Amino acid sequence: MTQRKGSPTPWSYTLIRLLFKFVLKIFYGTIVVENAHLIPETGRPCIVCANHSNSLTDALLLVTSIPSKKRNMLRLTAKATQFGHKTFTSWLIESAGTVPIKRRKDAADGSADNTDAMSKLVEALETGDAVCLFPEGMSRYHPTIAPLKTGVARLVSDVLSRNRDNSDFEISVLTCSITYMHRQHFRSDVLVTFHPAMTFRPKDNTELLAPVDYNNIRQLTARLQNVISSGTIDSPSWDLIRTAKLAARIYVPLGTRMSLGDYVRVIRSFLDAFKECQDIPGDTNSNNCQEATSDLVAHAKLCQDLKVYQDQLARWGIKDDRIRRPLPRHTILSRMTIRLAWSLALFTISLPGLLLWLPVFATTFYAVHNFKKTGPIFDTWDEIAQYKLIYGLMSGICVWWLTVFLTWPLAPLTFILVPAVMWMTLRWFEDAVSAFRAFTALRRLLRVGKATLKGMHERREDLHSRVMNLAVHSIGLPENPESFFVEAGGREKGRVKGRWDSTARYFSIKRRRKRDWNETLRLYDKVDYPEDAQVDL
């Protein structure tokens, strides 16, 4: 294949990539990128397509996750209604060379002509660029991936058809699965998984050349959906996600000693098993069908029992780990004393820096609070992270420059010192919140009572046995998860590999040691989802 150079990188794109790489690393505790080596290099026409659950944040995440050494630029697309406004978001989108896409739902007459947009994308691909498309066609706060539109497949067909006489021409489709542990919460974690690129050539894929049978377009679209869905948590309901996460924690209670990628894939395995038992077949005449139905009934009963168990834990405000490893009363009291003292000490040293963070937190809270009033959860919550990122960035820059201005004689020092103090404050504040969260959980544990805890422990033992049976005999997961997943994977961001690494990471200035991939900067364990987010779309 003839190597193309690709379009030159605009200075604004370079600025945006550097700026938001910094901002995303502050907002999200850990961003793990898997399989970056699979990304086609600059000069090879490439369509990057991913699931779309977090509005503009998804695009920024892809821009910063693709190494500049692999691709100098990712040409983005965005809904046309975000262009032409006198806002920072609009400037951001336009400056990055983003192509506007019209949507039928935004037009008064329900029509949308994207001929010009598709032409620009085709030209960019023929130049050797990478373009980003979100084939769901929308971003919504929902637990499942929406049926994909056929735009990516049609674009592949158009490009191949235009270059049908070039035997060396090829175009790649790079699928990507984005998984947010909690997409809108400060200091939660994100997994970005790239899948092997699908490569298409005019001479090898004649079924996609014009005039094309639309069934071939649909088949390629379905293939894309299967690959993207397989790498993330895709569920028909929030309840199933909640239950699958609990099953994963019971099966392999390693926290961040296992990689984030493995954790997501284990959740996905349990989720698939629970989805199968939602619709038990009615015809049970054959022996094979009776056996399969019996297994599905058992899985459905386990799913229900796990939900009841998680509901009880949520009412008490404690985590499964407190039930798994019961603690004597004197140990609980001593740990409460240590956690409270440590959290107070960290809060104390964080106070000066928190004064700098206060305007940032207040601005983002006010902006998000007002934005939530503009629509229902499923239509607004997918943009919360975007609002927090942008308003946090702008208010943070204002605090930084205002502090430098007020300390003008010492400006060269405060120019460097202010962001350093703000970062270390965030680092200490995270540990302070974590310590206080542990203190409150231990306090709640004391209020439950020995007899009740013993009953819950026995219930958990039964659930553990049934979860292991499902994992090993039905799903095919390893029967020794606590050793298998410690050894699997490499040294990823946010992961701890042992006791010494865990202790050393606790005092790291780069990031705090997390015990659980489910953690956020909250005084409670985030396990529930808004009920009305389950609106059928």
Side-chain angles (χ1 to χ4, degrees), residues 130-287:
V131 303
C132 178
L133 290 171
F134 294 104
E136 286 179 86
M138 63 178 183
S139 172
R140 290 289 184 273
Y141 190 87
H142 50 72
T144 187
I145 296 176
L148 301 192
K149 310 293 184 183
T150 57
V152 172
R154 287 188 287 112
L155 182 58
V156 171
S157 176
D158 289 347
V159 175
L160 289 178
S161 298
R162 280 175 50 116
N163 294 271
R164 66 198 314 155
D165 297 328
N166 183 353
S167 59
D168 292 332
F169 184 83
E170 68 177 33
I171 180 173
S172 299
V173 176
L174 180 69
T175 50
C176 176
S177 302
I178 304 175
T179 307
Y180 298 92
M181 292 296 99
H182 298 285
R183 71 191 82 178
Q184 78 277 20
H185 288 317
F186 195 35
R187 305 303 290 169
S188 60
D189 303 310
V190 188
L191 175 70
V192 180
T193 302
F194 291 104
H195 304 285
M198 304 177 189
T199 302
F200 302 90
R201 302 179 183 86
K203 61 181 180 180
D204 298 330
N205 301 100
T206 55
E207 74 280 1
L208 294 175
L209 299 180
V212 62
D213 183 346
Y214 208 72
N215 286 327
N216 295 326
I217 297 294
R218 292 192 187 96
Q219 289 175 9
L220 177 54
T221 302
R223 185 177 162 196
L224 295 175
Q225 176 130 14
N226 289 337
V227 175
I228 294 173
S229 173
S230 68
T232 188
I233 301 173
D234 183 21
S235 170
S237 71
W238 294 112
D239 271 347
L240 280 186
I241 293 179
R242 181 178 184 257
T243 302
K245 283 187 174 182
L246 174 62
R249 286 196 293 269
I250 291 177
Y251 167 69
V252 52
L254 290 175
T256 53
R257 283 193 291 157
M258 71 186 299
S259 71
L260 179 56
D262 284 337
Y263 176 60
V264 169
R265 284 182 281 274
V266 169
I267 293 174
R268 176 64 197 238
S269 297
F270 282 107
L271 183 60
D272 287 342
F274 292 146
K275 282 194 288 188
E276 287 183 4
C277 67
Q278 295 303 297
D279 298 312
I280 299 175
D283 182 12
T284 59
N285 293 328
S286 67
N287 291 334

